[in-house]
Amino acid sequence: MTPDISGDWHGVLDTGQAKVKLGLRFEGDTVCMNRRSGAVDPLPLRRDGDSFAFELLPVDLAFELRLAGGRLEGTCFHNTVDFPVRVVRGVAPPTLHAIRPQTLAPPFPYEVEAVAFTGADGLSRSGTLTRPPGPGPHRAIVLSSWFGEVDRDQTVAGHRPMALWADRLTRLGFATLRYDKRGVGQSEGRFHTASTGDFAADLAAAVAFLRIRSDLGAVGLLGHSEGGHISADVAAADPTIAFCVMMTPTGVPDEEVLEAEMFNAARVVGGVPRDFDRTVGFVRALTQASKALTAEESLAQAREILRAAAYPPERLEVRAVIAAAPWQRYWATHDHTAGLRRLTCPALVVMAGKDLQTPPRAHAAALTAANAAATVVTLPGLNHLLQPATTGAPSEYREIATSLDPTVIKLVCDWIAAL
């Protein structure tokens, strides 16, 4: 006899990259799935005794669940990985986000000024300049955010780490500048057609903007992840940069560590990759397509690879465009330690022991070898966002109250102050 599972069920799908709230309603031979957009999709439900299966193909989800102990447990297949999933009866309770004890609020014991400067594309970049009390000239630090479409504060999962760095460094006696990336927040320009090289050019423009101000003096750079790379590239090309801090950068190309590191976040939450060798080969082939001489060649090669892999037609063109995008093409051929190797200013490289995106075991050796004069430090227990972590998976970011672990704040501030 087939058990009755009609009604509402809820749970969470943790992919390591994100935690997705699941809301399901079973009605006869269909299941309705609440999505983040608020839409409800009626899907065909397959039954076999106390086992149930359904798919949401547009977003690449396939569920296989079994009724056990009043719960539906099983797997969700997503992005070539089987993830464990469990749902229970009822409607999900409201989400309560962790309190952010490091959230900043005015008044501040320093000056805060809205500024704008001209980026490398000739369009305006909007930012925030903080200055210690007094006439100056004050030493200054430009802050650079990590990969992605993020604002001047690097706002992610309720955290604002760049605002926190600006606060701590200004209290230490430095002026700081942080700004929205091109096409983000109040900055003009186009984000999706920009590469890491374009972001580096914007950083150089930010440095030039600070140097025309009489109230500011020597300029140093501090960047997180991709922001660390562009900081090193800009400092290497400008011998007057006072110092460079790189936090959680990469040391080797992504394709060199695919076999060991590709499924890090998925595995720590219980995910099991399917067809591991095939998936690695597929990703490596797309990376090679990104290295083609022209964007048109990259796009054509990516389409061919995706068709050969029987990639879902409804998502094929989007995936091919990503492989041929300016950012992907630049990053696929970028020498990750070139800037660090050429630095002549003092340099600090900070790695995080539980970082699953740029894990020290894969990158620290190359970063250390790149510049014997640089200080390379690995802080245990921290994730890529530099929070105290349990697994290190990005899906934990929102659940962790701390935005920046005090150990990394102290390390960086002490190192800069000692200069």
Side-chain angles (χ1 to χ4, degrees):
M1 179 179 177
T2 302
D4 181 15
I5 61 169
S6 59
D8 291 310
W9 296 71
H10 73 274
V12 174
L13 171 63
D14 188 352
T15 68
Q17 296 297 331
K19 288 187 178 180
V20 181
K21 291 180 64 176
L22 299 175
L24 307 175
R25 174 173 290 179
F26 295 95
E27 298 177 349
D29 291 328
T30 65
V31 55
C32 293
M33 183 172 181
N34 294 321
R35 299 171 62 186
R36 187 174 297 176
S37 63
V40 178
D41 302 287
L43 306 168
L45 178 65
R46 300 191 303 277
R47 298 170 176 260
D48 183 7
D50 58 1
S51 296
F52 307 86
F54 57 95
E55 296 93 20
L56 186 59
L57 295 179
V59 291
D60 187 28
L61 295 175
F63 291 85
E64 294 183 1
L65 304 175
R66 186 180 185 88
L67 187 63
R71 299 184 296 266
L72 286 171
E73 300 178 337
T75 61
C76 174
F77 182 65
H78 173 65
N79 198 22
T80 76
V81 179
D82 283 304
F83 294 98
V85 65
R86 173 188 296 175
V87 294
V88 298
R89 283 191 181 275
V91 177
T95 300
L96 298 176
H97 295 305
I99 298 173
R100 311 294 188 223
Q102 294 171 312
T103 298
L104 303 170
F108 301 112
Y110 49 81
E111 298 179 47
V112 180
E113 178 185 355
V115 297
F117 62 93
T118 302
D121 58 357
L123 300 176
S124 176
R125 301 289 175 266
S126 181
T128 300
L129 180 70
T130 62
R131 292 190 311 278
H138 303 290
R139 298 165 297 170
I141 303 174
V142 187
L143 310 178
S144 297
S145 297
W146 66 0
F147 162 78
E149 202 169 350
V150 292
D151 62 15
R152 69 192 71 186
D153 294 340
Q154 193 176 301
T155 303
V156 59
H159 300 283
R160 300 169 55 219
M162 284 302 169
L164 188 54
W165 280 119
D167 179 79
R168 294 297 187 268
L169 292 168
T170 309
R171 291 173 188 268
L172 192 63
F174 289 86
T176 74
L177 172 64
R178 63 193 195 274
Y179 56 93
D180 298 333
K181 289 185 180 181
R182 58 173 68 186
V184 180
Q186 299 177 46
S187 286
E188 298 175 343
R190 299 181 64 188
F191 174 83
H192 293 289
T193 59
S195 69
T196 302
D198 294 321
F199 298 135
D202 284 344
L203 174 56
V207 172
F209 164 72
L210 293 185
R211 285 187 171 143
I212 65 174
R213 296 183 60 116
S214 60
D215 58 342
L216 301 179
V219 177
L221 305 178
L222 180 150
H224 185 190
S225 195
E226 182 186 38
H229 285 278
I230 67 172
S231 295
D233 291 344
V234 170
D238 182 350
T240 65
I241 293 294
F243 61 85
C244 179
V245 178
M246 304 173 70
M247 299 183 294
T248 66
T250 58
V252 296
D254 299 343
E255 61 184 316
E256 291 188 13
V257 294
L258 282 178
E259 283 86 352
E261 311 297 342
M262 182 175 174
F263 293 104
N264 278 340
R267 285 194 171 107
V268 297
V269 297
V272 179
R274 286 190 198 175
D275 299 323
F276 178 84
D277 292 337
R278 181 174 180 271
T279 302
V280 170
F282 169 72
V283 173
R284 180 168 283 114
L286 285 177
T287 301
Q288 292 303 313
S290 300
K291 296 179 181 180
L293 292 177
T294 67
E296 291 75 16
E297 291 175 348
S298 288
L299 186 60
Q301 290 182 25
R303 286 171 177 155
E304 184 178 341
I305 292 164
L306 292 164
R307 291 191 190 102
Y311 202 77
E314 65 272 18
R315 301 200 304 274
L316 187 147
E317 188 63 19
V318 172
R319 186 66 184 83
V321 168
I322 291 173
W327 187 92
Q328 184 63 38
R329 286 171 44 74
Y330 185 98
W331 192 251
T333 57
H334 180 58
D335 183 342
H336 294 275
T337 59
L340 180 58
R341 289 199 306 272
R342 294 185 289 114
L343 282 183
T344 56
C345 66
L348 172 65
V349 180
V350 181
M351 307 294 288
K354 286 194 173 181
D355 186 349
L356 300 183
Q357 288 135 290
T358 56
R361 62 177 174 270
H363 300 279
L367 292 164
T368 302
N371 189 326
T375 300
V376 181
V377 180
T378 297
L379 296 177
L382 307 189
N383 61 20
H384 190 67
L385 193 56
L386 297 169
Q387 301 169 292
T390 301
T391 67
S395 57
E396 287 184 339
Y397 291 166
R398 186 172 296 279
E399 297 178 352
I400 301 171
T402 304
S403 298
L404 281 176
D405 191 85
T407 59
V408 71
I409 296 174
K410 185 178 188 312
L411 169 70
V412 172
C413 289
D414 287 352
W415 183 85
I416 293 174
L419 297 176

